[in-house]
């Protein structure tokens, strides 16, 4: 990408000192193993480390005062860097527009313009694929399902019948959208399936990781709100309503019929019980086990969940319990 | 489905008051968002809420005394409702009977009557598919594997060689039955694979969720007992023997060579060590970590596992430890 | 496999008593359900149980003194048994060498000698497949990806573009190598994708379980060191560097940018935060939650992680907290 800093500053709307305008950079790099020619970015505590790296230039926040290396000051260095990655560093891929003659497209399917349907993809009867959508090999789009414009669905993902995926979504490989919810009636110890006649609605701008399972509703819809991003191996049970712009980190499980507000972050390996409401604008640390309704604006941790501050205090205290037992025995002994 | 309550009462074997026989219902609905025309069901604490809903009629248990809305009394409202869903509400699907000319069927395969083998499914050499089985796109049935009558296998599931799936099973998308167990010998820090020469036997009436992995035995068989239902993202290690009519909720992991009795429920995200026996007729709460042999009829929780009652008591007590430490320090101080 | 013990002893380099050389064995068996004709193996505490089994002969360690049944003494009975399984007990499979006319091979692909590319596999443009590699149905090998010699990739696995898999690897069904890492910039609550322009490098002799997700690096490479074995449903975040000869048990999650040394064992359902270093030659018990940098040679457990010995002590002590609270109240009462 050989560019000089002046050009890059214009691209990202940043400011540079005049004497750095002709500094040349060749690659986008990482702070930890930067070499000469690299442009890197740094925020917060990393700015100091960046100053000592071998990078040729650094994207730093506007508010940084002195900085010894050639730099570009911007509002949000990470976002600026992401823009440069998008422009210069994406590995080249040859995406063929059109329907492969090795794909299977059923009856009554509606295909938008400029779609890419790759070999061995299946778009089953009466499904709809929006303009510019990209369907990788071995994807299964079920009957009457719909995929919005410019959505990418990677290999071996499944969108079951009557489910709906919004625009500009990314569905990673082997995700399964719309498998039956886990619903049974039990009589004399024998479990009988309750038909799961609802669907899944994934709104626009959602990303869904590899091996994510989002179950179809028993009736009505399981909903993933717009802009929500879901990491790998997450389970979302039937009839959940997940709000907009949530972040759900890997291996989290949300049990059925749970409602989650907007802007909620779940760390990795979180679990929730079913049939609860989790208020918006909240953060739950990794491994939180959420077993009750939760208010708006909460920062939770632990199982059973408590506030993060209480959890830290409790967790630190538990290590002292073996000593505490000794102390109490001593007190009991002295008393006599 | 426009029907009057009299017809529906006959269908589900329930009783109604004569004056309600002509009440019309149009849809099956949910208690939480019922509208006029809906028939819903309610049990236990939900009966009161149902009485205040906008539903036109409610399936309620026989023992409910007074109820203000038109209602049908039955033994098991959930089961009756499931029957109505099955009859009236299942989304229409066009399942083509026969072998797609885009499927691959190997040599020596035995196909039952009225099977549906969809595009790009692979039934490898010497496999057997029972009458009425439905094999979705991108399913792989390995050599010498067998699938029982009326079993449905959804897209991208894998049944590896020599494994056997019973009758009336449902295998969800991307489930993997019969991958190699995790077995190695280690010498000087280098791990060498122990061939996993056994298989998996899934008995009749089993449901297996999306992304479930059930590993083939090192020798002999990993067994899933009849009527057991497994939720998404569950791991079952090699040589496990899971009993009949168990319920295994999402993200649970059962380590290798563990035996589980009949009628055991594991909540979500449970884990067990390997080589233990877990007695039947038991319930383990979500996140239980089972690290030893367990008796019949146990209700367990926590890690390491204890009785659910003890776990509740212990968990509540732990929040008091920070205060307890202060109290003990105070006692020590006062003593001097 | 009907053989006499003399032959088998020669095969595994073991010693037998002369009078046992003609003992006949028919099958390799398990200690728990051995029948006449079986050859089994036993180590440690199981030697005594083996002595009382119905097996016709037992592979035992050299150091066992007296043993009542016909036996073969070897250094490592499990390894010797694994060798016999490999030789005599592997289920027969008919692997067709060559490229199926139902597979899809893109432009510029380099195929080694004696590869097997099965029906409906996709090897996309400019990918490389090494000699003797076996690619099962519904596998997707992305553009510019490479697969080393003698590697087996089972059905529905995905190797995304530009990723590299070493020699002699085993990749199980539905594993996903190279999905995008979970990276976003957030402004006013809206999350924008950071392009993930790196790849995944899996070195030689690695085994990767079913439903494992290993995310591609944001920049550079996510690396899995040679000889490492990964069980089912494991998540490895972007930019992780996992050392050589590690064992990672099922449902473990390693967050992004974490570095793990050589010879580390993670039990099942372990979790780690991101951006930490975990020293080599370590063992972390099941469910460990690793939230900080860890030294070499550690044996850890619990969440937050501590030494296994401390964790055992702490965990035992916690059950006493309800009694402790009573004791302290009593002391407080008596004081007055």
């Amino acid at each position: 990408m050989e560019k000089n800093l002046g050009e890059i500053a214009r691209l990202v709307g940043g400011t540079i000192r005049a004497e750095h305008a002709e500094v040349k950079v060749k690659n986008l790099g990482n702070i930890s193993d930067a070499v000469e020619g690299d442009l890197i970015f740094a925020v917060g505590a990393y700015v100091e480390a960046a100053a000592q790296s071998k990078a040729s230039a650094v994207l730093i926040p506007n508010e940084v005062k002195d900085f010894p290396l050639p730099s570009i000051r911007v509002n949000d260095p990470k976002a600026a860097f992401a823009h440069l990655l998008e422009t210069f560093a994406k590995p080249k891929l040859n995406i063929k527009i059109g329907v492969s003659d090795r794909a299977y497209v059923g009856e009554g399917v509606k295909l938008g313009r400029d779609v890419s349907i790759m070999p061995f993809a299946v778009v089953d009867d009466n499904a709809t694929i929006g303009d510019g959508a990209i369907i990788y090999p071995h994807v299964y789009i079920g009957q009457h399902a719909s995929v919005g414009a410019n959505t990418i669905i990677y290999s071996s993902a499944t969108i079951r019948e009557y489910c709906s995926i919004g625009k500009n979504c990314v569905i990673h490989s082997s995700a399964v959208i719309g498998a039956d919810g886990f619903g049974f009636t039990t009589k004399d110890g024998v479990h009988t399936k309750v038909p799961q006649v609802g669907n899944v609605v994934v709104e626009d701008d959602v990303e869904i990781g590899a091996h994510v399972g989002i179950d179809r509703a028993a009736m009505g819809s399981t909903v993933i709100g717009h802009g929500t991003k879901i990491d790998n191996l997450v389970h979302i049970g039937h009839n959940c309503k997940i709000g907009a712009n949530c972040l759900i980190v890997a291996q989290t499980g949300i049990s059925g019929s749970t409602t989650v507000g907007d802007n909620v972050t779940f760390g990795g390996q979180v679990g929730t019980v079913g049939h609860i409401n989790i208020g918006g604008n909240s953060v739950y640390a990794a491994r939180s086990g959420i077993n009750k309704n939760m208010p708006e604006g909460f920062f939770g941790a632990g199982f059973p969940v408590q506030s993060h501050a209480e959890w830290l205090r409790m967790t630190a205290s538990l290590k002292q319990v073996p000593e505490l037992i000794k102390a109490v025995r001593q007190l009991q002994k002295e008393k006599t």
Side-chain angles (χ1 to χ4, degrees), chain A:
Chain A
M1 56 166 276
E2 183 127 359
K3 300 273 166 197
N4 67 39
L5 275 200
E7 287 177 81
I8 290 175
R10 276 192 300 278
L11 260 167
V12 299
T15 58
I16 55 169
R17 284 161 57 182
E19 71 263 35
H20 291 151
E22 300 301 317
V23 170
K24 289 257 184 303
V25 293
K26 291 181 190 160
N27 291 298
L28 300 171
N30 274 312
I31 200 166
S32 59
D33 52 8
V35 295
E36 216 192 294
D38 280 1
L39 171 66
I40 65 175
F41 82 96
V43 293
Y46 290 99
V47 172
E48 216 169 309
Q52 281 157 32
S53 77
K54 296 195 170 149
S56 292
V58 187
L59 282 158
I60 54 175
N62 282 326
E63 61 271 21
V64 171
K65 290 265 162 69
D66 298 311
F67 194 78
L69 301 184
S71 60
I72 303 176
R73 283 176 163 74
V74 290
N75 254 333
D76 184 339
K78 191 179 173 188
F81 196 78
H83 180 64
L84 296 175
L85 286 169
E86 184 72 35
T87 312
F88 297 119
K90 283 186 86 169
K92 285 198 183 84
L93 281 183
N94 175 21
I95 302 288
K96 287 144 192 123
I97 302 302
V99 178
S100 165
D101 59 2
R102 305 250 197 147
Y104 175 91
V105 175
E107 297 154 29
V109 166
K110 285 180 206 131
L111 295 181
R113 279 168 301 147
D114 297 334
V115 299
S116 173
I117 314 275
M118 300 194 190
F120 311 133
V122 172
V123 183
D124 214 338
D125 298 355
N126 302 303
T128 303
I129 308 291
D131 295 347
I134 300 175
I135 310 293
Y136 270 72
H138 315 124
V139 166
Y140 176 68
I141 310 287
Q143 294 180 15
H144 299 271
S146 68
V147 173
N150 300 314
T151 282
I152 302 176
I153 305 187
Y154 285 102
S155 53
S156 294
T158 288
I159 315 295
R160 284 265 305 270
E161 66 273 13
Y162 292 93
C163 290
S164 146
I165 310 292
K167 289 181 288 189
N168 304 313
C169 292
V170 180
I171 313 281
H172 285 286
S173 292
S174 294
V176 176
I177 313 300
D180 294 351
F182 197 63
F184 303 91
T185 59
T186 300
K187 191 174 176 186
D188 302 332
V190 175
H191 311 296
T192 303
K193 188 176 180 67
V194 175
Q196 304 289 303
V197 306
N199 74 345
V200 177
V201 174
V202 174
E203 297 182 353
D204 299 341
D205 300 310
V206 168
E207 183 155 345
I208 294 177
H211 309 114
V212 168
I214 302 175
D215 282 353
R216 68 193 309 114
M219 282 185 296
S221 297
T222 304
V223 179
I224 309 297
H226 67 81
T228 283
K229 313 294 183 183
I230 303 177
D231 201 356
N232 296 339
L233 288 161
V234 166
H235 165 73
I236 295 182
H238 54 176
N239 290 86
C240 282
K241 312 283 184 197
I242 308 293
N245 298 322
C246 293
L247 292 176
I248 306 181
V249 178
Q251 296 179 322
T252 284
I254 313 282
S255 295
S257 298
T258 279
T259 298
V260 176
D262 297 341
N263 298 302
V264 176
T265 296
F266 295 107
Q269 300 183 337
V270 165
T272 83
V273 300
H275 297 272
I276 58 172
N277 291 297
I278 298 176
N281 300 304
S282 294
V283 174
Y284 291 89
R287 291 258 176 107
S288 297
I290 307 173
N291 59 328
K292 57 183 179 186
N293 291 321
M294 300 301 296
E296 287 272 317
F298 200 75
F299 182 14
F303 173 53
V305 69
Q306 55 195 135
S307 82
H308 188 258
E310 281 175 333
W311 179 77
L312 283 179
R313 201 162 64 106
M314 186 189 84
T315 298
S317 78
L318 298 187
K319 293 187 181 172
Q320 300 178 49
V321 171
E323 297 311 311
L324 201 63
I325 291 169
K326 282 187 201 160
V328 170
R329 285 200 190 124
Q330 183 63 25
L331 284 166
Q332 287 173 320
K333 204 168 146 190
E334 287 171 8
K335 178 189 78 179
T336 56

